[in-house]
mmCIF file of all heavy atoms in Angstrom:
data_model
loop_
_atom_site.group_PDB
_atom_site.id
_atom_site.type_symbol
_atom_site.label_atom_id
_atom_site.label_comp_id
_atom_site.label_asym_id
_atom_site.label_seq_id
_atom_site.Cartn_x
_atom_site.Cartn_y
_atom_site.Cartn_z
ATOM 1 N N LEU Y 54 86.230 -26.978 20.130
ATOM 2 C CA LEU Y 54 86.999 -26.596 18.949
ATOM 3 C C LEU Y 54 86.099 -26.500 17.723
ATOM 4 O O LEU Y 54 86.196 -25.544 16.940
ATOM 5 C CB LEU Y 54 88.117 -27.623 18.694
ATOM 6 C CG LEU Y 54 88.929 -27.423 17.392
ATOM 7 C CD1 LEU Y 54 89.640 -26.071 17.399
ATOM 8 C CD2 LEU Y 54 89.921 -28.572 17.198
ATOM 9 N N MET Y 55 85.211 -27.474 17.555
ATOM 10 C CA MET Y 55 84.291 -27.437 16.417
ATOM 11 C C MET Y 55 83.364 -26.222 16.505
ATOM 12 O O MET Y 55 83.062 -25.579 15.494
ATOM 13 C CB MET Y 55 83.445 -28.714 16.386
ATOM 14 C CG MET Y 55 84.240 -29.993 16.117
ATOM 15 S SD MET Y 55 85.135 -29.991 14.525
ATOM 16 C CE MET Y 55 86.822 -29.795 15.118
ATOM 17 N N LEU Y 56 82.943 -25.886 17.728
ATOM 18 C CA LEU Y 56 82.111 -24.702 17.910
ATOM 19 C C LEU Y 56 82.865 -23.444 17.510
ATOM 20 O O LEU Y 56 82.321 -22.564 16.823
ATOM 21 C CB LEU Y 56 81.663 -24.610 19.377
ATOM 22 C CG LEU Y 56 80.944 -23.320 19.798
ATOM 23 C CD1 LEU Y 56 79.674 -23.107 18.974
ATOM 24 C CD2 LEU Y 56 80.612 -23.368 21.297
ATOM 25 N N ALA Y 57 84.126 -23.336 17.927
ATOM 26 C CA ALA Y 57 84.928 -22.160 17.580
ATOM 27 C C ALA Y 57 85.100 -22.037 16.068
ATOM 28 O O ALA Y 57 84.956 -20.952 15.495
ATOM 29 C CB ALA Y 57 86.289 -22.239 18.279
ATOM 30 N N LEU Y 58 85.406 -23.151 15.406
ATOM 31 C CA LEU Y 58 85.587 -23.128 13.951
ATOM 32 C C LEU Y 58 84.299 -22.761 13.237
ATOM 33 O O LEU Y 58 84.303 -22.007 12.256
ATOM 34 C CB LEU Y 58 86.101 -24.491 13.472
ATOM 35 C CG LEU Y 58 87.534 -24.855 13.847
ATOM 36 C CD1 LEU Y 58 87.826 -26.315 13.514
ATOM 37 C CD2 LEU Y 58 88.527 -23.950 13.117
ATOM 38 N N ALA Y 59 83.182 -23.301 13.708
ATOM 39 C CA ALA Y 59 81.892 -22.980 13.086
ATOM 40 C C ALA Y 59 81.544 -21.516 13.267
ATOM 41 O O ALA Y 59 81.025 -20.867 12.350
ATOM 42 C CB ALA Y 59 80.789 -23.869 13.681
ATOM 43 N N THR Y 60 81.825 -20.970 14.456
ATOM 44 C CA THR Y 60 81.509 -19.565 14.723
ATOM 45 C C THR Y 60 82.337 -18.648 13.834
ATOM 46 O O THR Y 60 81.821 -17.654 13.293
ATOM 47 C CB THR Y 60 81.770 -19.239 16.206
ATOM 48 O OG1 THR Y 60 81.005 -20.132 17.025
ATOM 49 C CG2 THR Y 60 81.371 -17.811 16.526
ATOM 50 N N VAL Y 61 83.606 -18.963 13.659
ATOM 51 C CA VAL Y 61 84.459 -18.180 12.760
ATOM 52 C C VAL Y 61 83.919 -18.248 11.330
ATOM 53 O O VAL Y 61 83.855 -17.230 10.619
ATOM 54 C CB VAL Y 61 85.918 -18.676 12.825
ATOM 55 C CG1 VAL Y 61 86.759 -18.024 11.728
ATOM 56 C CG2 VAL Y 61 86.513 -18.380 14.193
ATOM 57 N N GLY Y 62 83.527 -19.446 10.909
ATOM 58 C CA GLY Y 62 82.989 -19.596 9.559
ATOM 59 C C GLY Y 62 81.706 -18.804 9.351
ATOM 60 O O GLY Y 62 81.511 -18.181 8.288
ATOM 61 N N PHE Y 63 80.844 -18.801 10.354
ATOM 62 C CA PHE Y 63 79.610 -18.025 10.287
ATOM 63 C C PHE Y 63 79.930 -16.541 10.147
ATOM 64 O O PHE Y 63 79.362 -15.833 9.308
ATOM 65 C CB PHE Y 63 78.805 -18.314 11.555
ATOM 66 C CG PHE Y 63 77.478 -17.616 11.636
ATOM 67 C CD1 PHE Y 63 76.785 -17.218 10.501
ATOM 68 C CD2 PHE Y 63 76.895 -17.370 12.874
ATOM 69 C CE1 PHE Y 63 75.541 -16.582 10.589
ATOM 70 C CE2 PHE Y 63 75.659 -16.749 12.983
ATOM 71 C CZ PHE Y 63 74.998 -16.346 11.837
ATOM 72 N N ALA Y 64 80.872 -16.052 10.964
ATOM 73 C CA ALA Y 64 81.231 -14.636 10.929
ATOM 74 C C ALA Y 64 81.825 -14.236 9.586
ATOM 75 O O ALA Y 64 81.484 -13.181 9.021
ATOM 76 C CB ALA Y 64 82.212 -14.323 12.058
ATOM 77 N N VAL Y 65 82.701 -15.066 9.052
ATOM 78 C CA VAL Y 65 83.345 -14.753 7.770
ATOM 79 C C VAL Y 65 82.322 -14.709 6.633
ATOM 80 O O VAL Y 65 82.338 -13.803 5.787
ATOM 81 C CB VAL Y 65 84.456 -15.785 7.485
ATOM 82 C CG1 VAL Y 65 84.973 -15.639 6.053
ATOM 83 C CG2 VAL Y 65 85.601 -15.617 8.466
ATOM 84 N N ASN Y 66 81.446 -15.680 6.610
ATOM 85 C CA ASN Y 66 80.422 -15.702 5.559
ATOM 86 C C ASN Y 66 79.427 -14.552 5.694
ATOM 87 O O ASN Y 66 78.990 -13.986 4.700
ATOM 88 C CB ASN Y 66 79.703 -17.047 5.565
ATOM 89 C CG ASN Y 66 80.473 -18.131 4.840
ATOM 90 O OD1 ASN Y 66 80.428 -18.234 3.621
ATOM 91 N ND2 ASN Y 66 81.209 -18.933 5.591
ATOM 92 N N PHE Y 67 79.074 -14.200 6.930
ATOM 93 C CA PHE Y 67 78.183 -13.056 7.133
ATOM 94 C C PHE Y 67 78.878 -11.739 6.782
ATOM 95 O O PHE Y 67 78.226 -10.789 6.336
ATOM 96 C CB PHE Y 67 77.675 -13.041 8.575
ATOM 97 C CG PHE Y 67 76.243 -13.489 8.692
ATOM 98 C CD1 PHE Y 67 75.800 -14.598 7.989
ATOM 99 C CD2 PHE Y 67 75.349 -12.837 9.513
ATOM 100 C CE1 PHE Y 67 74.476 -15.033 8.094
ATOM 101 C CE2 PHE Y 67 74.026 -13.243 9.627
ATOM 102 C CZ PHE Y 67 73.602 -14.342 8.906
ATOM 103 N N TRP Y 68 80.160 -11.660 7.005
ATOM 104 C CA TRP Y 68 80.937 -10.498 6.572
ATOM 105 C C TRP Y 68 80.796 -10.316 5.060
ATOM 106 O O TRP Y 68 80.511 -9.220 4.566
ATOM 107 C CB TRP Y 68 82.390 -10.708 6.992
ATOM 108 C CG TRP Y 68 83.387 -9.681 6.543
ATOM 109 C CD1 TRP Y 68 83.143 -8.463 5.953
ATOM 110 C CD2 TRP Y 68 84.803 -9.784 6.667
ATOM 111 N NE1 TRP Y 68 84.313 -7.806 5.706
ATOM 112 C CE2 TRP Y 68 85.356 -8.593 6.142
ATOM 113 C CE3 TRP Y 68 85.667 -10.756 7.166
ATOM 114 C CZ2 TRP Y 68 86.740 -8.365 6.089
ATOM 115 C CZ3 TRP Y 68 87.037 -10.523 7.134
ATOM 116 C CH2 TRP Y 68 87.556 -9.345 6.595
#
Side-chain angles (χ1 to χ4, degrees):
L54 174 61
M55 294 300 108
L56 172 59
L58 290 170
T60 304
V61 171
F63 182 25
V65 170
N66 279 278
F67 255 44
W68 175 10

